[in-house]
Amino acid sequence: MRIGVSGPHGTGKTTLVHELCSRFVDLTPIEEPYVLLEEDGYDFEYPPSPADYRAQLTRSIQLLDTEPDGSVFDRTPVDFLAYLSATGVDIASAIDISAVRNAVARLDLLVLVPITPETERLLPPVEMLGLGRTVNDILLELAYTDPLDLLADVPVVELSVPLANRVETIGAMIR
C-alpha cells in the first residue's frame, strides 16, 4: 500500500505520517519534499515562491515514481498544485498535468488533512494563515471535483475526525 497525506501547513500531516508508521511497522515514512530539498541545499524564498512550489512538485513526483510499496508520503503533488494555484499560477496550463496524474495514480489512498476548528485550537499557530486557508479550500476542491482528472482511481478520505482518531480511521481502511 502507498498512502499520500495532503493538507495545508499546520494541520498535523507530519505527525500523522509518523504516528501511522509507528503503529503499522510495515509502513515507512517519506519526508516531505521541502525537507528533502533543504537537505540537498535548495534555498527557499520566504515566503515560498511559485518556483519553490514547482521544485517541491517535481520532487514529490520523483518520490512517487521511486519509493516502494509501504511508503507513506508526507505531501503529494496535489498539495503543490494547490499551493501554486493559491499563488496565482494557472495550473491547468502551467504544469505537466499528465506527469502529476501518472504519479498520483501510484497511490492506493490519498488522505486529506484539512483545517478544522480542532486543528486551529490545539495545534501550534501557523505562519501565513491566509495562504493555508486558501490552500485548504483549493485542495478540497481538487479532491472533490477533480477538474484535472487526477484522482480517477485513487480513493480519497478526508480526515475531519478528532486528532486522537486519525490513526485509527486510516488503520481501519488499510487493514
Side-chain angles (χ1 to χ4, degrees):
M1 173 151 262
R2 295 163 54 101
I3 302 168
V5 178
S6 291
H9 51 282
T11 56
K13 291 175 306 303
T14 301
T15 300
L16 174 62
V17 166
H18 290 285
E19 287 176 353
L20 192 60
C21 293
S22 292
R23 177 84 182 276
F24 299 95
V25 295
D26 55 333
L27 297 177
T28 303
I30 306 300
E31 289 286 347
E32 70 172 284
Y34 184 95
V35 171
L36 297 172
L37 286 166
E38 216 173 33
E39 287 173 357
D40 289 346
Y42 187 94
D43 188 24
F44 286 94
E45 293 181 37
Y46 185 84
S49 68
D52 294 333
Y53 293 126
R54 285 178 198 270
Q56 292 177 79
L57 173 63
T58 299
R59 178 59 69 92
S60 184
I61 290 169
Q62 291 169 345
L63 291 169
L64 284 169
D65 286 345
T66 60
E67 294 298 329
D69 286 348
S71 295
V72 181
F73 299 89
D74 187 350
R75 294 207 177 272
T76 71
V78 181
D79 290 86
F80 305 111
L81 294 181
Y83 276 95
L84 283 163
S85 181
T87 59
V89 174
D90 177 10
I91 56 175
S93 63
I95 302 299
D96 180 358
I97 297 301
S98 65
V100 174
R101 188 177 295 123
N102 291 337
V104 171
R106 291 179 173 87
L107 290 172
D108 297 302
L109 179 64
L110 177 63
V111 177
L112 297 177
V113 183
I115 296 171
T116 66
E118 185 182 31
T119 61
E120 290 187 309
R121 189 177 68 254
L122 296 179
L123 298 180
V126 298
E127 295 180 17
M128 301 181 290
L129 182 58
L131 175 63
R133 288 187 173 141
T134 301
V135 167
N136 187 74
D137 294 345
I138 293 168
L139 268 171
L140 293 173
E141 181 180 338
L142 286 171
Y144 290 117
T145 65
D146 200 13
L148 302 172
D149 195 31
L150 299 173
L151 303 167
D153 297 321
V154 179
V156 177
V157 61
E158 179 183 339
L159 279 186
S160 51
V161 300
L163 293 171
N165 298 359
R166 286 178 169 184
V167 171
E168 280 299 318
T169 300
I170 296 171
M173 301 179 93
I174 63 174
R175 287 186 187 134

